[in-house]
Amino acid sequence: MTQYLDFEKPLAEIEGKAEELRAMARENPEMDVEKEAAALDKKASDLLTSLYADLTPWRKCQVARHPERPHCQDYINALFTEYTPLAGDRNFADDLSVMGGIARLDGIPVMVIGHEKGNDTKSRIERNFGMARPEGYRKAIRLMALADRFGLPVITLVDTPGAYPGKGAEERGQSEAIARSTEKCLELKVPLISVVIGEGGSGGAVAFASANRVAMLEHSIYSVISPEGCASILWKDAEKMRESAEALRLTSKDLHELGVCDRIIEEPEGGAHRDRDAAIKSVGEALITMVNELRDLSGDKLRADRRNKYLALGSKGLAA
């Protein structure tokens, strides 16, 4: 069953009525309801187009967090072959919120790393809802260093509310691990390509996405803080999240205009969760294009490209 977001309630009613008619027809084959059901389908399709034609930033946040969106594991299973997972940070533990390993993308050997949120209650708890602890970032550092040593392009799939802020994580050096992971991204001499597939939250996302190319799915978000966190700090009221989502400029369109995002990957109508296969295919095509753009560049050129990209951030700001 499709899980509907708050602003999709009128759509849920129409699609529900169409399904009720068809259920009645299945129970009574003599009933002919296809004409009425088709009319409801057309009405639902028009409403879906209207709802998604101009989503507000807060509604984009809701779509980006939809539990049925494809997650990192879905992309790896569908797009990569010969995937060999690599686990652990060789220091403390294996953080299941970060997954990665060696694989092939369209026949090209790569290192793929990403946040994994899980897809049911049990796996979400195991994966800590995609919020990495220090050992997750140290695992990513280890895999990026391995890729650098063997000349493998690195692909990161970003989908996290942010790094885990728990007491144990802070005791084990959360901020240092994030900083080291960001540093490793910037010093690689192999192509680094990041795709924000859902949420790109705070330093937990930057630690994976300080890349040569940063792509975002159309309805994904990328921000220094969540709208709720921002509202709690600025207005002492988390219910002001709609206003903070507007102010944060966290949508793919805004970030493309600001030079943070290099490419926007279109989603199927109604979001990636409505046609997972089509969304995954679009990401795969974009990844292959970006890898081919960068794979023949020298290590020094790749590092310089990354350095210049991040030094230039802010040049397309609000006052530019």
Side-chain angles (χ1 to χ4, degrees):
M1 281 183 66
T2 302
Q3 293 189 40
Y4 292 93
L5 300 169
D6 289 345
F7 67 90
E8 294 178 320
K9 285 180 180 177
L11 180 65
E13 291 176 9
I14 297 170
E15 291 186 339
K17 288 176 183 176
E19 180 53 35
E20 283 176 19
L21 284 175
R22 292 192 170 101
M24 289 167 60
R26 286 193 293 271
E27 292 177 3
N28 186 354
E30 295 180 2
M31 290 182 65
D32 183 9
V33 300
E34 196 51 42
K35 186 175 180 181
E36 292 85 349
L40 288 170
D41 288 342
K42 176 67 167 60
K43 187 176 180 181
S45 177
D46 292 343
L47 180 57
L48 182 68
T49 301
S50 173
L51 285 172
Y52 278 80
D54 189 23
L55 290 176
T56 65
W58 174 242
R59 288 183 174 180
K60 290 258 187 187
C61 293
Q62 292 177 286
V63 177
R65 295 167 174 172
H66 198 290
E68 293 175 1
R69 280 179 79 84
H71 293 149
C72 178
Q73 193 158 27
D74 300 312
Y75 287 100
I76 289 176
N77 291 341
L79 299 176
F80 297 87
T81 57
E82 299 180 40
Y83 173 64
T84 303
L86 300 172
D89 67 346
R90 299 296 185 269
N91 184 37
F92 181 76
D94 183 30
D95 186 347
L96 296 181
S97 64
V98 174
M99 61 184 300
I102 298 170
R104 290 183 184 271
L105 174 69
D106 196 34
I108 304 167
V110 298
M111 182 71 76
V112 58
I113 307 167
H115 301 98
E116 173 56 43
K117 287 183 170 180
N119 52 28
D120 56 26
T121 301
K122 182 181 177 183
S123 62
R124 285 170 188 148
I125 292 170
E126 287 177 345
R127 304 281 187 177
N128 203 34
F129 300 88
M131 295 184 290
R133 297 176 171 90
E135 46 274 21
Y137 294 105
R138 291 178 180 133
K139 180 204 292 189
I141 293 167
R142 183 173 75 83
L143 299 191
M144 285 190 275
L146 190 65
D148 204 20
R149 187 183 313 156
F150 292 102
L152 303 177
V154 178
I155 293 169
T156 61
L157 302 173
V158 178
D159 189 14
T160 179
Y164 184 61
K167 181 174 180 284
E170 296 297 335
E171 288 173 343
R172 295 193 300 277
Q174 182 72 289
S175 58
E176 184 268 349
I178 291 170
R180 294 286 184 189
S181 183
T182 307
E183 179 186 43
K184 178 57 72 176
C185 287
L186 294 172
E187 71 181 22
L188 291 176
K189 288 194 173 184
V190 293
L192 175 56
I193 296 158
S194 296
V195 181
V196 182
I197 58 175
E199 290 183 271
S202 192
V206 173
F208 279 25
S210 299
N212 295 94
R213 297 286 185 273
V214 177
M216 293 180 66
L217 277 169
E218 182 182 359
H219 301 311
S220 63
I221 59 171
Y222 188 18
S223 174
V224 69
I225 192 172
S226 70
E228 296 91 337
C230 176
S232 296
I233 292 169
L234 294 183
W235 292 288
K236 311 298 182 189
D237 181 3
E239 292 302 311
K240 293 274 190 179
M241 66 272 191
R242 293 169 183 80
E243 292 86 340
S244 60
E246 292 275 354
L248 284 168
R249 303 289 295 274
L250 45 62
T251 68
S252 59
K253 182 180 177 183
D254 285 337
L255 293 169
H256 190 263
E257 291 174 359
L258 292 169
V260 176
C261 166
D262 302 298
R263 178 189 295 259
I264 298 174
I265 302 171
E266 288 189 8
E267 295 189 27
E269 188 170 69
H273 57 281
R274 279 196 165 252
D275 191 341
R276 294 159 61 92
D277 292 342
I280 290 170
K281 182 181 177 184
S282 296
V283 170
E285 290 170 352
L287 282 173
I288 292 167
T289 299
M290 290 186 286
V291 168
N292 287 327
E293 287 173 356
L294 298 171
R295 62 188 298 203
D296 293 329
L297 298 180
S298 69
D300 290 339
K301 173 65 177 170
L302 289 165
R303 285 183 67 177
D305 173 76
R306 221 175 289 127
R307 174 182 170 82
N308 293 334
K309 173 183 172 65
Y310 287 94
L311 286 174
L313 288 184
S315 62
K316 295 182 181 178
L318 299 176

